[in-house]
Amino acid sequence: MTRPFRRRVLYIPGYDPIPPRRYRELYRREGAEQARISGYGLAFGPRRDRTGFGWGVTGDFAGTAAEAEFEVLVWADIVQGSMGQGILATYGQLFRTAWAYVGSGALFRLMRLRRGPVIAALYPVAVLLAQLLASALAGALLGWALGRLTGFGWWLGGPVALALTWAGLHLWRRIDGKIFAWYLMHDYAFTAQDRGAYPPALKARLARFTDRIAEVLAGDWDEVLVVGHSSGAYLGVSVLAELIRSGRVPAQGPRLSYLSLGHVVPMASFLPRADRLRADLRFLSARGELDWIDVTAPGDACCFGLCDPVAVSGVEPPGRRHPLVLSAAFTQTLSPQKRRALRGRWFRLHFQYLCAFDRPGDYDYFAITAGPLTLGQRFAGRSHSPGRIARAVNRRGAP
C-alpha cells in the first residue's frame, strides 16, 4: 500500500489576542464546507505529535490520500500584554504611532501603494480622537448644566465633566468588539513601538519559532509548510530567513514551503528601524531552499493587495526567486451572494484566505494544506497575477 503524502503545517497568526483553538474550529468548519463544494474528502482528528496546540486532517483527493498535522506557533500572550494598556496609555500610543509613520515619511510612501490599508491604519486614529471629542463635549455639557442648576458653577461642573469624559471613554472601550478601533490602535502601535525594530519579547519568540521549525524539518514529512497570515506574514519571513542562515534546512529533508496570506509587510518594512525585516526580505527572496507563494486580494482592505512585499520595500536582489504574487480574486472566487453577505465586514474579509470559497479557483487553502501536492508543485509554471505592484516605493530601504 502506498504511503499517503505527509505534511506538517506550522501556522503563524497575525496580531491576535484570542487563544489558538479558534483556528482549529475555523479550519474544521470552513474545511468541511470547502470539501462539500469542491468534491474532495476531509476528515479531522488529533495529531501524532502533540507538541504545542494543533490538529490533524486527512484528505482524499480523487483517490489520492494525504495526511497533515497542524501546529499554531503562538504569540497571543505577547499580543495580550501589548493590549493591556489603560486609556491614557492608549492615547499616548496614538500620538507616538502617528509620529512614527508621519515623522519618518513612511505614511506618505504607503499612500503610494493601496488606499485600503492606509485608510484602515488611519481609522483607529480618527475614531479614537472622535470618541475623545464626543466624550469631552458630552461631559462638558452635562457638567455645565449641573453646575448651573446647583449654583456651584464649574466648581462642581468641572470635576463632573472630567468624570463623565472618563466614563465615556471607558464605555467606548467596552464596545470595541463591534468597531475594532482600540484593537487596531494597539496593533499598529505594536508594530511601530520601536520604529520597525522587533521588541525583545518578540525577538525571543521568533527564535523559538525558528528552533521549532528546525525540529519539525528533522521529521518524516514530504513537506513542511509554514503559513503566515497578516502580521504573521512578515514574522514568517524573519523566522525562515534565520532558519536558512543558520544552516538548519536539511538538503535531503522534506520540502520547505512558505505561504504568506493577506500581508501587511509595508506597515513594518517602511519604518526607519526595520533593518532586520528588510534584510530578511532581501535574503529570503533569493534562496532556493524553499518555495514561497504570496496570496492577497485587492478586495481585502486590511492588506496590501498584490503588492510584492520584496519589491515595494526596495530590497529586491539581482538573483530574486520569490515570492510568486497571486491574487485570491474575491470578485471571481466568491459569488455575488457571498460578497453581499460580507459587504462592510472588512475584518472578516481579511480572514477569507483561511475560509471556504463558493467559486474556488487556483487558491484553495484546504487543498494546499491537506492535499497531496507541495506548494511548489501546485503552482509550478504560474506567473504573477495581473496587477502586481512591484515599484520600489520604499527606496530608503534599499541597500
Side-chain angles (χ1 to χ4, degrees):
M1 181 176 179
T2 304
R3 183 182 77 101
F5 182 93
R6 300 190 69 233
R7 173 185 293 106
R8 187 60 182 256
V9 182
L10 298 113
Y11 175 76
I12 305 176
Y15 185 88
D16 190 349
I18 299 177
R21 70 176 66 92
R22 74 173 283 189
Y23 293 104
R24 178 187 62 195
E25 301 312 315
L26 179 69
Y27 190 93
R28 289 179 173 178
R29 182 180 70 247
E30 296 293 328
E33 177 66 7
Q34 191 68 74
R36 183 190 67 79
I37 293 168
S38 299
Y40 49 73
L42 293 181
F44 311 99
R47 300 174 298 160
R48 294 185 180 91
D49 179 357
R50 300 300 183 89
T51 304
F53 180 88
W55 61 92
V57 59
T58 57
D60 182 351
F61 291 76
T64 303
E67 299 176 353
E69 295 191 5
F70 283 73
E71 181 178 340
V72 180
L73 299 180
V74 179
W75 61 293
D77 55 319
I78 296 176
V79 175
Q80 291 165 3
S82 73
M83 293 181 67
Q85 305 287 331
I87 290 173
L88 289 178
T90 299
Y91 277 91
Q93 284 184 332
L94 185 156
F95 292 108
R96 288 192 300 273
T97 302
W99 178 245
Y101 283 102
V102 174
S104 67
L107 178 64
F108 307 105
R109 294 192 295 277
L110 291 168
M111 287 178 175
R112 296 172 57 193
L113 294 174
R114 292 284 185 186
R115 288 180 297 174
V118 175
I119 293 172
L122 295 174
Y123 166 80
V125 175
V127 171
L128 262 67
L129 289 176
Q131 290 175 357
L132 177 60
L133 179 61
S135 300
L137 287 175
L141 180 61
L142 292 171
W144 172 81
L146 184 61
R148 183 164 183 175
L149 286 172
T150 60
F152 288 101
W154 284 109
W155 289 103
L156 176 62
V160 169
L162 289 174
L164 291 174
T165 300
W166 195 255
L169 292 174
H170 270 286
L171 178 61
W172 286 117
R173 192 179 185 186
R174 286 178 64 87
I175 65 171
D176 194 61
K178 299 181 182 297
I179 56 179
F180 301 107
W182 291 68
Y183 162 76
L184 286 171
M185 188 69 257
H186 294 309
D187 185 353
Y188 296 125
F190 183 81
T191 300
Q193 62 181 307
D194 290 318
R195 298 171 67 81
Y198 292 140
L202 185 57
K203 286 173 65 176
R205 190 61 54 88
L206 295 182
R208 283 172 52 183
F209 291 173
T210 303
D211 292 343
R212 180 60 187 146
I213 296 171
E215 291 174 5
V216 170
L217 280 168
D220 181 24
W221 308 100
D222 296 300
E223 180 183 39
V224 171
L225 172 63
V226 179
V227 179
H229 175 243
S230 193
S231 301
Y234 68 76
L235 299 184
V237 168
S238 288
V239 167
L240 291 169
E242 180 57 29
L243 180 78
I244 294 172
R245 279 196 195 99
S246 61
R248 288 187 282 176
V249 179
Q252 304 303 319
R255 185 58 183 167
L256 178 62
S257 303
Y258 183 43
L259 177 65
S260 51
L261 302 173
H263 81 77
V264 292
V265 169
M267 291 300 298
S269 67
F270 281 27
L271 288 167
R273 293 188 60 208
D275 302 300
R276 175 180 173 183
L277 175 57
R278 288 190 290 266
D280 292 342
L281 284 164
R282 182 178 176 83
F283 176 82
L284 197 66
S285 68
R287 304 303 300 188
E289 290 92 338
L290 84 167
D291 297 306
W292 177 8
I293 307 295
D294 180 73
V295 179
T296 54
D300 173 13
C302 293
C303 84
F304 285 86
L306 292 181
C307 293
D308 187 311
V310 176
V312 301
S313 298
V315 293
E316 187 168 29
R320 174 215 167 99
R321 295 168 177 253
H322 316 288
L324 175 64
V325 177
L326 299 178
S327 176
F330 290 171
T331 57
Q332 300 171 35
T333 55
L334 297 174
S335 67
Q337 296 85 354
K338 183 74 169 179
R339 295 202 306 275
R340 281 196 296 271
L342 294 174
R343 186 173 298 157
R345 299 174 61 191
W346 42 269
F347 199 69
R348 166 60 178 78
L349 272 173
H350 191 46
F351 278 83
Q352 179 59 41
Y353 311 97
L354 311 179
C355 298
F357 291 82
D358 57 354
R359 291 183 175 178
D362 288 343
Y363 175 74
D364 179 333
Y365 182 61
F366 305 96
I368 289 170
T369 56
L373 297 176
T374 68
L375 191 68
Q377 290 169 341
R378 183 174 180 84
F379 294 103
R382 281 292 305 270
S383 300
H384 298 295
S385 289
R388 166 180 171 251
I389 298 173
R391 300 188 307 275
V393 174
N394 191 53
R395 292 186 182 276
R396 288 179 56 182

